[in-house]
Amino acid sequence: MIKMEKELYTANVNVEGGREGHAVSSDGILNVNMRVPKELGGPGGDGTNPEQLFAAGFAACFEGAIGVALRKKSVKAEAIKIASKVTLGKDKDDGFVLAVKLDVTINGVESGIAKQVVEEAHAICPYYRAVNGNIAVETNLVG
């Protein structure tokens, strides 16, 4: 386990009703309905789900980590884009598991440097560090 030495920020979100409920952050900026997707037998509709929220959070965090790695090399990118996919599935014991796929595009950076910073981002990103060795994470440099 990685021990936290210094707290920088704590997000506070209250959820009521689980996958068919509502989530609100303490500052009110995140205020979303939660819905089970049709693919999982739910109604879908006007709400998000934990997998979408995790995909957004992971991609945003990983993009930030790429930015840190680029700054350490004094390299500027024209744009960084991440297509994030989080898949909910079952393991051999019928337990629920997640898998993540990040397709990373870094425009305006030489491909060798882009590959280096994506690799370095794995050690920087707290999302990646939290799940590394626990769930499958595939990171692809595209474009």
Side-chain angles (χ1 to χ4, degrees):
M1 177 176 10
I2 300 169
K3 183 179 178 200
M4 184 180 301
E5 296 294 328
K6 179 181 177 183
E7 292 183 13
L8 300 175
Y9 170 75
T10 300
N12 295 294
V13 176
N14 292 313
V15 175
E16 187 173 327
R19 285 182 171 270
E20 285 295 326
H22 195 82
V24 180
S25 61
S26 59
D27 61 8
I29 292 173
L30 177 72
N31 189 336
V32 295
N33 292 322
M34 304 295 288
R35 296 291 178 261
V36 176
K38 289 181 180 180
E39 297 86 347
L40 294 176
D46 71 335
T48 188
N49 58 66
E51 294 75 29
Q52 288 176 336
L53 293 170
F54 190 70
F58 202 133
C61 188
F62 199 76
E63 184 172 331
I66 290 170
V68 169
L70 285 167
R71 282 190 299 280
K72 286 182 179 181
K73 293 184 177 311
S74 298
V75 174
K76 288 192 177 221
E78 292 172 9
I80 303 169
K81 297 177 185 174
I82 299 180
S84 177
K85 296 178 184 176
V86 171
T87 301
L88 175 67
K90 294 278 196 134
D91 65 13
K92 63 179 175 54
D93 298 320
D94 205 35
F96 291 103
V97 294
L98 294 174
V100 176
K101 181 179 179 187
L102 303 174
D103 288 332
V104 179
T105 303
I106 305 175
N107 292 329
V109 175
E110 188 269 318
S111 64
I113 299 293
K115 185 175 180 177
Q116 286 177 359
V117 297
V118 167
E119 287 304 313
E120 291 169 11
H122 291 115
I124 297 168
C125 177
Y127 272 67
Y128 182 84
R129 293 178 66 196
V131 302
N132 188 28
N134 296 309
I135 66 172
V137 178
E138 179 184 337
T139 308
N140 302 305
L141 185 61
V142 297

